[in-house]
Amino acid sequence: MYEHDVLVVGAGGAGLRAAIAAHEEGADVAMVTKLHPVRSHTGAAEGGINAALRDGDDWELHAYDTMKGSDYLGDAPAIETLATDSPEEVVQLEHWGMPFSREEDGRMSQRPFGGLSFPRTTYAGAETGHHLLHTLYEQVVKRGITVYDEWYVSRLAVTDHDRPEDRVCHGLVAIDIKSGEIEGFRARNGVVLATGGPGQVYDHTTNAVSCTGDGPAMAYRAGAPMEDMEFIQFHPTTLPSTGVLISEGVRGEGGVLYNALGERFMFERGYANNDGELASRDVVSRAELTEVNEGRGVNDEYVHLDMRHLGAERIVDRLENILHLAADFEGVDGLEEPMPVKPGQHYAMGGTETDEHGETCISGLYAVGECACASVHGANRLGGNALPELIVFGRRAGQHAAGRDLGEAKIGTGQVGEYEVGEVDTPVTPGEIGTPEDVVADGGESARTDGAGALVEAGPVLENAVETERERVAHLMGRDEGVQQAEIREMLQKSMTRNVNVFRNEEGLKQALRDIRTARELYRDVYVDDPSRTFNTDLIQTIEMRNLIDTAEAITLGALAREEFRGAHWRQEFQERDDENWLKHTLLSWNDGTPEVWYRPVHLEGREKTYEPKIRSY
Amino acid sequence: MSTQIQRTEEPEIETEDEPEAETESAGDRRRREKVDRETALRKEAEERLDESDDDVVIKVFRYDPEVEGKQEPRFDDFRVPMEKGTSVLDALMFARDHYDSSLTFRHSCRQAICGSDAFFINGRQKLGCKTQLSELETPIRIEPLPHQEVVKDLVVEMEHFYEQMHSVEPYFQTNDLPTGELEEQRQSRENREKVKMSTRCIWCAACMSSCNIAAGDEKYLGPAAINKAYRFAMDEREGEEMKDHRMRVLEQEHGVWRCQTQFSCTVVCPKEIPLTEHIQEVKREAVKRNLKFW
């Protein structure tokens, strides 16, 4: 058993920032990550960090742009926190030595990005995430913060109270990937989940293979709801063959999109008459797919992104990494020819429901970064707003978990206060098919199986969780035959890409739910073929697979429930944004394995003003 | 578009080392159907392979210290489909997902930034995700990074590499921060340009693995750690005093002077960092600083 004040799960940007903040508060903090910190997916972020740093810009403009971009589904307290805290955080990164791109006067450069009314995206070439990740990791090394790398966290240790809002998180269970040992980690103060996005539910994604939604799925099964999962961002410029991201920085610097007829369709076909290529990501993604669907795509699959006119010097100065990516992963020389691009899954706006301090409805359980939904991005995230989210909310969660008083949160969590229960008409009962043994189930109910009544003390809660996890792994490893996770994964990814993509309709979403049910049925028979305890990636992927199923179901269920067109969520049957009925968040609670759908109104009330929903035009 | 299940050259490798199922779970009809389905698929794939040129055999190093029958290092052959753009990593993932789920290797981002899939491919350190099958001469051999302890299959022990990286104080240190609110510490474009390449390191350890000196001298800092120290030593924002300190770290007994400029690190670096040049520059700087004029 290991014991620390604060445990951070995941060591990307949000996790590292949380760990540094908790350490600065004087807490004994440790990070537990299934990779090594510098392998985290934050490193793949390219474009930049939004922060209102310069004359002519201010946090209110940043907040306004973000609210508009979110299609009025962001919560004002979270968005205003992002906008007010990010300048200080970005300058802090600079003071930690991050190699930002520079202006002639030696100050950090900023550039335009989609949906921004001011060029407020601070960047380091087209590899901003790499530098942010390494800079934060350096600070973790400097402080001597303990890192358990290549330890896979597979379960949270949460008390057994009936209502999630009464539960307390006392720690977690993790598998040492190298040795196969399964150990309990006690958190005296709190656990911060920073496990990143769930992009692997799709087969065409910019996300790393490690992005399997572990945090939200574990938290969900432990009682913390998932929020706004239907809002999946598709990035308009990914390479067709691999899903590798071509940064929005290319369009920010003046890159142009053409269809097969050579038309600059964003203008010529009227998709965004003012902003053109720099319209918001959802707008550009739909425009590209419409061009392809109407027969104006190149090779019926993609469109062209051209940056040649920017000139070699500027491209090399600001977008050099893009040249490498296009050459290495698509065989295209961006200086000589246009790059083929199409939309690909990129980001989950939804995640574990938290308040603006990063805390969930379970005491001592936090979630930050892409795995969380503090409701900063609402229905559509603006480019350049993910990295400030990591550092702003990473810091706050780290501080709060370490005991600092950040005042009372304005955003509520859990089923308290104003909420309404929902219902969705589905072709199958979602989630109903569990796994055969209780040991493979997860969350609060497993702790109840000891028959000695509810477990609420830290010690027994953790012991029970470790025991349950050891049995689960023994069960998966003990079988000699069954279905392998790769087969289920491929089926799930294909169905999600086919049915829960940029354009959605009822029939497709229902088909996806049927396929997810099939995935659950197959998962009952899942087994781990590799008998080794040493670095058993078969085992880890099999456990991840369970998280992918639960996450995919939440995404699809949310998409079926939301009968309107908002932000990234487009529905064939509902072509209007419906503020009267849908200015609210979709939430899903685990409810012993059968998701319970409920809603909470959006917080549009800021510190000084209330944000009035307006028509989004670009 | 389709990725048909192809058979391995030696189909029996998947099962030959597995413990035998002691009792057959009777009545598991679905399971049996699945096996039948797979057999049919394989047969079909086999027939198709005979007519197709679009497949290639990769020879992959295998070793598991724990499982009987796998403790003796060996190579397994896997036949994988090859299309335009298929990388070594794609091939390994295909082999793992379709033939042998115990095939073990690190990978994550698939776009040359996480640094976890450096392997020894046809005798050279390369990132799997960045290396196209079509660029390689057959037979394609994929092995773990040399000079590092093998944990299992293609996974090597990285601890020593991380220790060397940590030993050079790999974090920004300055006493010269501006005091004004939200005031950044300025850096000239020229200076950023100077350190730019050094900041691109993704800690993949390809350079360290390729270095003869590092192989023979465990204490040698190695090219990656020296490059990391260079990144800070040459950053004007740290100031002269800190640079002195950095140079002392770099000039230690097992520091830059061990380098024999064999250029292997520079050759293999997937991020094209001029490592040897950086090391030489540190040497020149050291000489300059230590020159005394009596």
Side-chain angles (χ1 to χ4, degrees), chain B residues 73-293:
Chain B
R74 67 181 197 281
F75 282 86
D76 278 351
D77 291 359
F78 299 98
R79 186 171 287 272
V80 296
M82 184 170 81
E83 295 165 358
K84 183 172 172 281
T86 304
S87 66
V88 167
L89 180 62
D90 293 331
L92 287 170
M93 288 167 77
F94 186 90
R96 178 195 64 195
D97 291 350
H98 293 91
Y99 303 139
D100 182 356
S101 64
S102 74
L103 177 59
T104 304
F105 46 94
R106 290 191 181 98
H107 68 297
S108 187
C109 75
R110 308 141 25 255
Q111 60 179 82
I113 198 72
C114 77
S116 55
D117 68 336
F119 308 123
F120 197 53
I121 301 167
N122 279 0
R124 180 164 284 183
Q125 290 81 358
K126 289 171 181 284
L127 291 186
C129 61
K130 220 186 135 174
T131 306
Q132 305 286 307
L133 284 187
S134 57
E135 288 169 8
L136 299 169
E137 273 181 38
T138 51
I140 295 168
R141 283 165 70 97
I142 308 168
E143 298 166 75
L145 288 182
H147 306 312
Q148 275 149 294
E149 192 192 326
V150 179
V151 176
K152 177 179 169 182
D153 293 349
L154 301 174
V155 174
V156 293
E157 181 58 75
M158 292 290 286
E159 270 324 299
H160 177 64
F161 176 78
Y162 294 146
E163 278 165 21
Q164 296 305 81
M165 293 302 274
H166 289 176
S167 73
V168 296
E169 301 177 21
Y171 36 80
F172 191 69
Q173 304 178 72
T174 180
N175 296 317
D176 207 18
L177 283 179
T179 48
E181 198 192 354
L182 294 185
E183 193 60 45
E184 62 242 53
Q185 198 183 9
R186 303 198 183 197
Q187 179 185 26
S188 69
R189 292 180 108 160
E190 295 70 33
N191 186 244
R192 178 179 187 268
E193 202 58 31
K194 182 175 177 63
V195 298
K196 185 174 86 178
M197 293 309 289
S198 68
T199 63
R200 292 197 174 157
C201 175
I202 54 173
W203 296 43
C204 69
C207 58
M208 190 78 154
S209 163
S210 78
C211 176
N212 284 329
I213 319 304
D217 175 4
E218 234 203 5
K219 289 186 188 156
Y220 174 45
L221 290 176
I226 294 174
N227 176 70
K228 188 77 182 169
Y230 172 98
R231 178 255 171 280
F232 294 111
M234 298 301 167
D235 191 318
E236 64 188 12
R237 295 173 297 166
E238 279 203 341
E240 274 305 302
E241 206 177 307
M242 189 51 65
K243 186 164 182 173
D244 283 339
H245 172 68
R246 297 258 182 218
M247 291 303 297
R248 280 194 296 277
V249 173
L250 285 161
E251 288 176 69
Q252 61 176 278
E253 191 187 343
H254 296 272
V256 288
W257 297 110
R258 293 279 156 139
C259 168
Q260 294 176 7
T261 54
Q262 294 173 344
F263 287 94
S264 63
C265 52
T266 303
V267 170
V268 300
C269 177
K271 305 307 281 187
E272 291 166 12
I273 301 170
L275 290 150
T276 313
E277 198 176 308
H278 288 170
I279 297 171
Q280 291 308 99
E281 199 179 331
V282 171
K283 287 182 187 170
R284 283 197 295 274
E285 183 72 23
V287 172
K288 246 175 15 195
R289 283 179 177 251
N290 292 328
L291 272 185
K292 296 206 170 40
F293 299 95

Side-chain angles (χ1 to χ4, degrees), chain A residues 39 54 94-95 97 100 108 130 138 150 207 209-210 320 328 481 487 525 530 532 534 538, chain B residues 25 30 34 64 66 101 106 108 110 114 130 152 170 183-185 192 199-200 202-203 228 231:
Chain A
R39 318 287 177 213
R54 302 287 179 244
E94 202 279 345
H95 287 184
F100 283 102
M108 297 180 278
H130 164 79
E138 287 159 18
E150 299 191 327
N207 282 198
V209 178
S210 58
E320 187 186 345
D328 292 342
E481 55 182 18
E487 189 186 334
D525 290 336
D530 185 355
S532 181
T534 305
D538 192 2
Chain B
S25 65
R30 217 170 54 73
K34 181 176 174 296
D64 188 324
E66 206 184 336
S101 64
R106 290 191 181 98
S108 187
R110 308 141 25 255
C114 77
K130 220 186 135 174
K152 177 179 169 182
E183 193 60 45
E184 62 242 53
Q185 198 183 9
R192 178 179 187 268
T199 63
R200 292 197 174 157
I202 54 173
W203 296 43
K228 188 77 182 169
R231 178 255 171 280

Side-chain angles (χ1 to χ4, degrees), chain A residues 50 53 125 186 264 306 331 401 414 466 505 592 599:
Chain A
N50 296 338
L53 284 168
R186 164 105 192 264
R264 193 174 174 184
D306 196 350
V466 172
N505 60 42
D592 283 339
Y599 303 102

Side-chain angles (χ1 to χ4, degrees), chain A residues 489-506:
Chain A
R489 193 180 290 219
E490 191 175 326
M491 190 205 90
L492 184 85
Q493 289 174 334
K494 288 210 163 116
S495 177
M496 291 298 287
T497 300
R498 194 180 311 119
N499 299 307
V500 199
N501 214 295
V502 175
F503 293 129
R504 300 164 174 190
N505 60 42
E506 186 181 330

